[in-house]
Amino acid sequence: MIEFLSALDQIMSVTHMVYLISGVLVGLVVGIIPGLGGIAGMSLLLPFLYGMEPSVGLGMLMGLVAVIPTGDTFTSVLMGIPGSSSSQATVMDGFPLAKKGQAARALSAAFLSSMIGGVVGAIVLSVFILVARPVVLAFSSAELFMLTLLGLSVVAALSGGNVFKGLAACGFGLLIGAIGGAPATGEFRFTLGIDYLYDGIPLVVVGLGIFALPEIISLLVQNRAIASSPNKLGHGLKQGFKDVFANLPLVGKSSVFGSLIGAIPGLGGSVVDWMTYSFAINSSKDSSQFGKGDIRGVIAPESANNACASGSMIPTILFGVPGSGSAAVFLGGMLLLGIQPGVSMISTHLDLTYTIIWSLALANILGALFCICFTRPISLLTYIKFSVLTPIILTLILFAAYQATRSLGDFILLGVVAALGVMMKGANWPRPAFLIGFVLSSGAENYFFQSIQFYGYSWFTRPGVIIIAALIIIGFVLPPILKKKKLKDKPEQLKDEAEEKNFKTVSWADWAIIATLAISGTYALINVWDMSTLTKAFPIIAIAIVLLSVIMIIRNYIKVPHAKTAAELTPHLIYIVGFFGIAYCYYLFGFISTTFVFSLLFLRFIAQATYVKSTTIAVCLVIFLVTIGRVMNVDFPEGLFDPYLLSTIKTFI
């Protein structure tokens, strides 16, 4: 009870509220941009966590986690474009309502449903922690290692249509996470003789490279606004509220269901929204209007996806196993703040656990209120041409990446990971599986060698280990059944589309990824072969997963005819090459000077903005970098011109 009240007092402090609101506002903006999603947005926030008070940093992270499923409702309703995978079902009835002139009704119903779902999810999380506390305290390193494998297996099994691609991505993430010193012995692995790699690869760089840059490049290649034509909000704001209260049983059931599904690693919003949408159809006496503008088709998935975000915190906090890609970055944020998830979160850090829960509930309430109050101005963001936003977002990404180690290696690695991310996105390989594997790598290896150290090889026979191993097997059997059920539950008009999506194809990007995995796995095996047992034991597990998965993927390509298809990634890779050029200029000419020149030229000649707008945005970015550099005590690469530019700025300040 003391911890509960202490957490309540903490979140009501001015500092916590400021950072929480900041996270909420950033989350809303990130949610509006289709495809950018919570992983990229949270990766941008990670560098700001260095040196922060843990409870305050958690407030900012939770603010962002909670409201991204709320922010992505704007594009789903106004344009029929899912803001993320968790808002696909909302499009089915939200967009038809908007075309009928009832966008305001759909949005207000969605926001209130999201708020209730998020609060219910926080309550479920609180109850679950209280109930599960004795079980978690009884877990040893052996059970925790198996739980890590369980999370990875479920994520891999649910990653698209090819389980071996999911396994390969997970294994590769584990392998990349093992770069640097072995925790058990201190021996260095996979460094290629490069000094930068001796400390391992920073999470910030991986998160931004695998998600943020590929998504930005994809939007930039399209070079258009999110919305192609205005869609009036229409009427019915109050009616949307009435609709929610009239369907409270549906809201409650969807929220609880979303929380429980979110607690299962790997399922996430892309499954739960269709499940609850199907439930709304099947439980309705009259389902004739679903897909044509039934408000219940908005209420059910919106209640569930915010609750799902809360539910994904259950395995993350209790076991250190992220329930989703966003939860994986959140886990990395916890580690940056010096917080170790698991037993300590319900023993010595119970107050922080309740701070997370209170912050989740409050962020959902604030996010819904902001959306309701500022629906009209926020919706206008969808009409801004994305190329105008590109220099701003790219500057934030580069600034965030530079905070990892503050060396040129951060930019180079960011470009390399981004190239991998572009190919994985183009070839439909599961990037969340790779990221979750990377995040779990360090913890999994620690649990692994602790299990051997404490129990020898007898830990395989522990009852908890056997039970979790059985669940892992079920994790590979259950997804095909769920996939068939998901297709069956989808409306008829989406079944043909789903079948087309699963059509067997292969592109050069697939073969490039396969070659990368095969070469990396072979090199890693040779590198650790002569090292001590504790140094090579865990990497060999990751190597085996990668190489065996690659063999099975190639076997599948040979056994089942696959049509060759063009990846059409040339423009994307050209932007990657351009990124390397810009990164070099940051060090040659200076970070601030290059930002100003690049932003000015890009906005004027690529985005076709006026000289006044281009200059204004470029100057604002310089002011931001100078200000944030002073506040956070960051020394940017000065290069040839920054010393002169900064001295000039000082004369005017």
Side-chain angles (χ1 to χ4, degrees):
M1 188 65 181
I2 296 175
E3 292 88 351
F4 194 79
L5 295 175
S6 174
L8 179 60
D9 180 65
Q10 172 62 43
I11 70 161
M12 296 309 294
S13 66
V14 175
T15 305
H16 187 92
M17 286 294 291
V18 168
Y19 281 98
L20 179 68
I21 292 172
S22 299
V24 168
L25 294 175
V26 172
L28 291 176
V29 174
V30 169
I32 289 170
I33 302 174
L36 198 54
I39 300 174
M42 292 183 70
S43 298
L44 283 171
L45 282 184
L46 287 183
F48 295 95
L49 300 179
Y50 289 106
M52 246 186 215
E53 182 70 24
S55 58
V56 174
L58 285 174
M60 179 181 279
L61 279 173
M62 296 319 299
L64 196 146
V65 168
V67 302
I68 285 177
T70 305
D72 61 23
T73 306
F74 281 102
T75 53
S76 299
V77 171
L78 294 176
M79 276 70 67
I81 303 171
S84 66
S85 61
S86 63
S87 62
Q88 293 173 358
T90 305
V91 174
M92 294 300 298
D93 288 282
F95 190 49
L97 281 167
K99 289 192 288 187
K100 293 178 181 179
Q102 300 180 43
R105 178 192 178 193
L107 287 172
S108 61
F111 297 147
L112 185 56
S113 300
S114 296
M115 183 184 75
I116 296 173
V119 173
V120 170
I123 294 172
V124 171
L125 173 59
S126 180
V127 172
F128 197 96
I129 285 174
L130 290 174
V131 173
R133 185 177 182 181
V135 177
V136 177
L137 291 174
F139 275 27
S140 69
S141 55
E143 284 81 13
L144 290 172
F145 173 69
M146 291 302 294
L147 277 173
T148 303
L149 292 185
L150 174 63
L152 289 172
S153 66
V154 175
V155 169
L158 294 170
S159 298
N162 192 325
V163 65
F164 293 110
K165 284 186 177 181
L167 278 173
C170 270
F172 194 50
L174 289 172
L175 196 58
I176 296 299
I179 291 175
T185 62
E187 290 183 85
F188 292 100
R189 306 167 300 199
F190 321 135
T191 59
L192 298 169
I194 301 172
D195 292 342
Y196 178 84
L197 297 178
Y198 277 85
D199 290 328
I201 292 179
L203 170 65
V204 176
V205 176
V206 173
L208 291 172
I210 204 70
F211 276 98
L213 266 183
E215 299 299 344
I216 288 169
I217 289 171
S218 179
L219 290 169
L220 192 56
V221 167
Q222 298 174 31
N223 195 25
R224 60 177 177 82
I226 298 168
S228 56
S229 60
N231 192 336
K232 295 181 180 180
L233 290 176
H235 56 83
L237 193 67
K238 292 182 180 179
Q239 181 59 43
F241 299 147
K242 293 178 182 178
D243 290 326
V244 173
F245 288 113
N247 291 279
L248 276 180
L250 177 62
V251 174
K253 292 175 184 177
S254 299
S255 299
V256 173
F257 183 72
S259 300
L260 298 177
I261 293 298
I264 303 174
L267 284 180
S270 59
V271 174
V272 76
D273 68 330
W274 285 116
M275 285 183 171
T276 50
Y277 186 78
S278 174
F279 171 77
I281 294 175
N282 295 330
S283 62
S284 174
K285 293 181 180 179
D286 179 17
S287 59
S288 61
Q289 294 304 306
F290 277 90
K292 301 176 183 178
D294 194 311
I295 195 66
R296 291 169 296 180
V298 174
I299 290 172
E302 287 299 315
S303 302
N305 58 33
N306 276 58
C308 185
S310 300
S312 68
M313 293 295 109
I314 293 174
T316 307
I317 294 171
L318 294 182
F319 309 115
V321 178
S324 64
S326 297
V329 184
F330 173 76
L331 176 60
M334 291 178 68
L335 298 175
L336 286 179
L337 291 168
I339 303 170
Q340 184 65 44
V343 176
S344 63
M345 291 300 293
I346 55 175
S347 55
T348 57
H349 295 301
L350 189 58
D351 57 330
L352 283 178
T353 302
Y354 282 124
T355 298
I356 293 173
I357 297 170
W358 280 110
S359 298
L360 264 174
L362 185 58
N364 275 284
I365 294 171
L366 290 175
L369 290 176
F370 285 152
C371 286
I372 292 169
C373 295
F374 304 108
T375 295
R376 198 168 299 278
I378 290 176
S379 65
L380 294 177
L381 290 176
T382 60
Y383 304 114
I384 299 175
K385 198 174 181 181
F386 188 77
S387 55
V388 174
L389 299 174
T390 298
I392 301 172
I393 298 176
L394 185 60
T395 298
L396 290 173
I397 288 175
L398 289 166
F399 169 77
Y402 182 68
Q403 300 314 299
T405 66
R406 300 188 180 184
S407 71
L408 179 60
D410 294 328
F411 291 155
I412 296 174
L413 181 62
L414 179 63
V416 171
V417 177
L420 176 64
V422 164
M423 288 191 293
M424 291 182 76
K425 177 178 170 65
N428 199 30
W429 282 61
R431 291 175 295 162
F434 169 81
L435 180 63
I436 291 174
F438 175 81
V439 172
L440 289 179
S441 180
S442 177
E445 184 166 11
N446 277 312
Y447 291 140
F448 182 69
F449 86 75
Q450 286 172 8
S451 300
I452 295 175
Q453 189 176 26
F454 296 153
Y455 307 106
Y457 290 99
S458 65
W459 65 271
F460 289 107
T461 61
R462 291 174 63 88
V465 170
I466 295 172
I467 292 171
I468 298 171
L471 291 175
I472 291 174
I473 295 172
I474 294 172
F476 284 102
V477 175
L478 189 61
I481 300 173
L482 288 175
K483 184 180 175 183
K484 290 181 181 178
K485 187 178 185 304
K486 181 181 176 183
L487 184 60
K488 182 181 178 182
D489 291 342
K490 280 186 178 181
E492 289 294 331
Q493 60 264 38
L494 290 179
K495 289 186 177 180
D496 293 337
E497 182 182 334
E499 290 175 0
E500 288 179 10
K501 188 176 180 181
N502 291 327
F503 183 72
K504 305 296 184 182
T505 60
V506 62
S507 68
W508 67 264
D510 283 289
W511 289 113
I513 295 170
I514 289 171
T516 300
L517 296 181
I519 293 170
S520 300
T522 304
Y523 161 76
L525 185 62
I526 295 171
N527 184 263
V528 300
W529 189 256
D530 294 326
M531 294 185 178
S532 62
T533 302
L534 285 179
T535 300
K536 67 183 180 182
F538 181 78
I540 284 179
I541 294 175
I543 292 166
I545 293 172
V546 171
L547 293 181
L548 289 175
S549 298
V550 165
I551 291 171
M552 293 305 297
I553 292 169
I554 295 174
R555 176 181 174 275
N556 188 38
Y557 285 161
I558 296 172
K559 185 177 179 180
V560 180
H562 285 64
K564 293 182 179 179
T565 182
E568 298 181 354
L569 295 177
T570 303
H572 300 73
L573 296 178
I574 289 174
Y575 275 113
I576 292 290
V577 173
F579 170 81
F580 280 113
I582 294 170
Y584 179 71
C585 290
Y586 277 114
Y587 266 80
L588 181 62
F589 301 115
F591 194 97
I592 297 175
S593 303
T594 303
T595 297
F596 177 78
V597 174
F598 164 72
S599 302
L600 183 64
L601 296 177
F602 187 94
L603 289 167
R604 181 66 191 94
F605 297 105
I606 303 296
Q608 299 295 311
T610 62
Y611 280 111
V612 174
K613 182 186 289 187
S614 303
T615 305
T616 302
I617 294 176
V619 170
C620 288
L621 283 174
V622 169
I623 294 172
F624 165 78
L625 290 175
V626 172
T627 304
I628 203 71
R630 290 185 179 181
V631 171
M632 297 183 64
N633 195 27
V634 177
D635 294 322
F636 296 109
E638 292 190 339
L640 298 174
F641 300 138
D642 270 16
Y644 302 104
L645 178 62
L646 291 173
S647 62
T648 303
I649 292 173
K650 288 179 182 179
T651 60
F652 291 99
I653 299 177

